[in-house]
């Protein structure tokens, strides 16, 4: 499992020689690995009973693409065309752009409400699938997130799981220096969700926590995953600049080597 | 028109177990019957329009046919970006139903006037824009919207709208205007609640020996290019009528076709001259302020011709 995450991160190092959001993608790799390889049941990307995943922080989509390719939903060579003219892989996900991408996102605060619609359909149709929505911590500044937070608990959607990639950083600075929301456990609880906090890079802890979903029958669940932005690249870890910077060509080898050694 | 809408929806919901209705806490005295008969498919989302559009997308992505109902500004503008991305970018068959076309909620103030909705909905790729001219067209529009594979916006009034059709059995196709009456020389091409105004203005013109064609251009996008070209053969003047801003609505859509097809016809637009209503007014009063009553339409057309 850790090996899969390392492979994904190494791939991201090469992909991110162009474009931004390298750090945002590296931040969520372990969450995606655990969900796709241990938790979610997706026999095929169009199976009507599959578990659903929505990447609400769409700017980290390179990590999603790579996970889907590792999962075998499309050939890994397609990853080489990331951001290429005429290609399939935009810098924000497009529904159906490649198999497994469930929803088009990129503007923040949209995913939770789409997820609510999917979870509601499952509930009404008596289907067992769960809906996982991954958001950033900066994203929680969008009001539409809290419209959805209110709604999901009223609708008793215990098949809905929100995951917060709490890397404490956003576009300009640390989240706490821009719009402090570091008490967001209490906020989610006040909105009727059951909260669990985990180390967002600890596969065992993530897996055990996701297995406990729903944390309480009749309530939506939220996993606050404490993460490190740009996890796996020591000189970029925890730096908000990793939101923008591409990987310099002469650093690729070093970063890949460090990832191998860390493992 | 709201009544025509809900009665049609009740019939459709009876046949289609996947039909859902969402409201943003509006529709008092209109939606209760649906709620009673289909409780598991009716959701008052609350005063959370952004969430409502997202939820409609998620339901549509799970195989549901979703109607989203609230007042025009709140279903088109408040949640514009959700409409753009969740519905149009993803091309989902969600039907936005906006109540209160133009100055329907006149005295409520410009927050509740719907004068930019056609323009902004038209600008969205994949979006179909339907503005039925009265209750009979509303029923047909709702039925026909079920055939669309992408999103649509249906612009309604409230209650008591006149109809220009003698029978409820009209032929209605999305994207095809309806010739309400035939004539020549002048064409009054109206949409939404201005269709009855066009018909009345035509009556007045007839007394002066002018025999205008009257068209209900219920679909503003895609607009009926063929019909416009056809009108340009028999008419030297096309007047567009809409209770909407002069920018981006029916007049703009028709004007585009005239220019692009190089049609030999003059265009006169009856619309709101790019202002918010400066005084308090009922629908009738505000129409008078902006030259949108049958008598004013009649006078201006007469002046244009002479
Ligand atoms: Mg962050």
């Amino acid at each position: 499992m850790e090996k899969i995450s390392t492979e994904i991160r190494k791939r991201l190092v090469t992909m991110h020689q162009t474009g931004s959001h390298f750090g945002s993608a590296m931040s969520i790799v372990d969450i995606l690995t655990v969900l796709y390889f241990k938790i979610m049941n997706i026999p095929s990307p169009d199976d009507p009973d599959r578990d659903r995943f929505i990447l609400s922080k769409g700017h980290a989509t390179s990590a999603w693409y790579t996970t889907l390719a590792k999962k075998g939903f499309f050939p890994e060579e397609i990853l080489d065309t990331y951001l290429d003219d005429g290609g399939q892989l935009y810098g924000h996900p497009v529904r159906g752009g490649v198999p497994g991408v469930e929803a088009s996102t990129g503007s923040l605060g949209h995913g939770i409400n789409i997820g609510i619609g999917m979870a509601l359909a499952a509930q009404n149709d008596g289907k067992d699938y769960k809906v996982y929505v991954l958001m950033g911590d900066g994203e929680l500044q969008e009001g539409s997130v809290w419209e959805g937070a209110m709604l999901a608990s009223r609708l008793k959607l215990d098949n809905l799981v929100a995951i917060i990639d709490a890397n404490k950083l956003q576009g300009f600075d640390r989240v706490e220096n821009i719009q402090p929301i570091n008490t967001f456990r209490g906020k989610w609880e006040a909105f009727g969700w059951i909260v669990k906090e985990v180390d967002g890079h600890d596969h065992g802890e993530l897996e055990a926590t996701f297995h406990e979903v729903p944390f309480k029958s009749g309530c939506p669940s939220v996993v606050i995953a404490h993460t490190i932005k740009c996890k796996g690249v020591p000189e970029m870890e925890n730096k908000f600049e990793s939101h923008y910077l591409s990987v310099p060509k002469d650093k690729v080898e070093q970063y890949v080597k460090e990832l191998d050694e860390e493992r | 028109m709201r009544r025509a809408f809900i009665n049609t929806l009740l019939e459709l919901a009876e046949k289609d177990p996947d039909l859902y209705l969402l409201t943003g806490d509006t529709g008092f005295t209109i939606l209760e019957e649906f709620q009673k008969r289909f409780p598991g498919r009716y959701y008052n989302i609350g005063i959370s329009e952004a969430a409502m559009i997202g939820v409609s997308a998620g339901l549509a992505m799970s195989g549901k046919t979703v109607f989203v109902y609230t007042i025009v500004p709140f279903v088109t503008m408040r949640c514009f970006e959700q409409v753009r991305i969740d519905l149009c970018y993803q091309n989902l068959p969600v039907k936005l139903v906006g109540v209160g076309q133009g100055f329907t909620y006149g005295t409520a103030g410009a927050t509740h006037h719907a004068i930019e909705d056609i323009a902004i909905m038209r600008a969205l790729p994949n979006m179909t824009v339907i503005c039925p001219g009265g209750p009979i067209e509303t029923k047909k529009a709702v039925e026909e919207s079920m055939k669309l594979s992408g999103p649509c916006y249906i612009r309604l009034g409230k209650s008591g709208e006149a109809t220009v059709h003698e029978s409820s059995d009209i032929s209605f196709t999305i994207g095809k205007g309806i010739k309400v009456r035939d004539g020549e020389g002048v064409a009054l091409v109206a949409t939404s609640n201005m269709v009855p105004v066009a018909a009345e203005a035509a009556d007045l013109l007839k007394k002066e020996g002018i025999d205008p064609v009257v068209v209900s251009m219920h679909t503003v996008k895609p607009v009926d290019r063929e019909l416009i070209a056809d009108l340009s053969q028999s008419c030297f003047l096309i007047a567009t009528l809409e209770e909407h801003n002069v920018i981006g609505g029916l007049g703009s859509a028709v004007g585009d076709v005239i220019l692009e097809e190089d049609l030999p016809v003059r265009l006169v637009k009856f619309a709101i001259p790019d202002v918010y209503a400066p005084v308090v007014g009922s629908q009738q009063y505000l129409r008078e302020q902006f030259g949108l009553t049958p008598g004013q339409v009649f006078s201006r057309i007469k002046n244009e011709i002479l």
Side-chain angles (χ1 to χ4, degrees), chain A residues 52 90 93-95 102-104 107 109-110 113-114 116-118 120-121 124-125 129 144 147-148 150-151 154-155, chain B residues 18 20 40 43-51 54-55 57-59 61-62 64 81-82 85-86 89-92:
Chain A
R52 265 64 162 181
Y90 261 123
V94 183
R95 177 174 180 243
E102 296 273 2
S104 305
S107 176
H110 286 238
N113 294 309
I114 295 173
I116 289 170
M118 292 174 166
L120 184 60
N124 287 354
D125 294 348
Y129 67 79
S144 53
E147 289 188 10
M150 228 183 307
L151 184 58
R154 191 239 299 184
L155 297 174
Chain B
D18 282 323
Y20 276 60
Y43 291 92
N44 182 346
I45 296 295
I47 308 162
S48 304
E49 292 80 7
V55 170
L59 286 167
M61 289 155 90
S62 312
K64 307 301 179 190
E81 207 215 26
Q82 277 75 20
I85 299 175
D86 302 354
Y89 191 29
Q90 300 197 106
N91 201 14
L92 298 173

Side-chain angles (χ1 to χ4, degrees), chain A residues 180-198:
Chain A
I181 43 175
N182 52 5
T183 58
F184 54 68
R185 167 185 262 277
K187 288 191 172 63
W188 286 101
E189 284 171 349
F191 279 84
W193 292 57
I194 309 301
V195 184
K196 285 200 189 289
E197 297 192 53
V198 299

Side-chain angles (χ1 to χ4, degrees), chain A residues 57 136-138 165 167-170 175 229:
Chain A
K57 50 170 288 181
D137 48 3
D165 171 35
N167 58 25
K168 325 295 183 296
L169 290 164
Q170 62 181 101
V175 174
K229 190 146 181 156

Side-chain angles (χ1 to χ4, degrees), chain B residues 233-299:
Chain B
Q233 299 299 309
S234 60
C235 301
F236 59 89
L237 186 147
I238 292 178
T240 55
L241 294 86
E242 58 196 313
E243 206 169 283
H244 183 274
N245 198 9
V246 70
I247 294 174
L250 176 67
S252 298
V254 172
D256 281 355
V257 176
I258 292 173
L259 282 170
E260 286 164 7
E261 306 288 339
D262 199 17
L263 302 177
V265 66
R266 277 171 62 206
L267 175 66
V268 174
K269 294 180 187 175
F270 289 89
I272 298 156
D274 200 25
V275 292
Y276 291 108
V279 289
V280 178
S282 62
Q283 184 168 36
Q284 183 55 29
Y285 183 87
L286 293 173
R287 280 185 179 176
E288 285 163 18
Q289 300 306 302
F290 298 117
L292 298 176
T293 64
Q296 290 166 310
V297 172
F298 160 74
S299 304

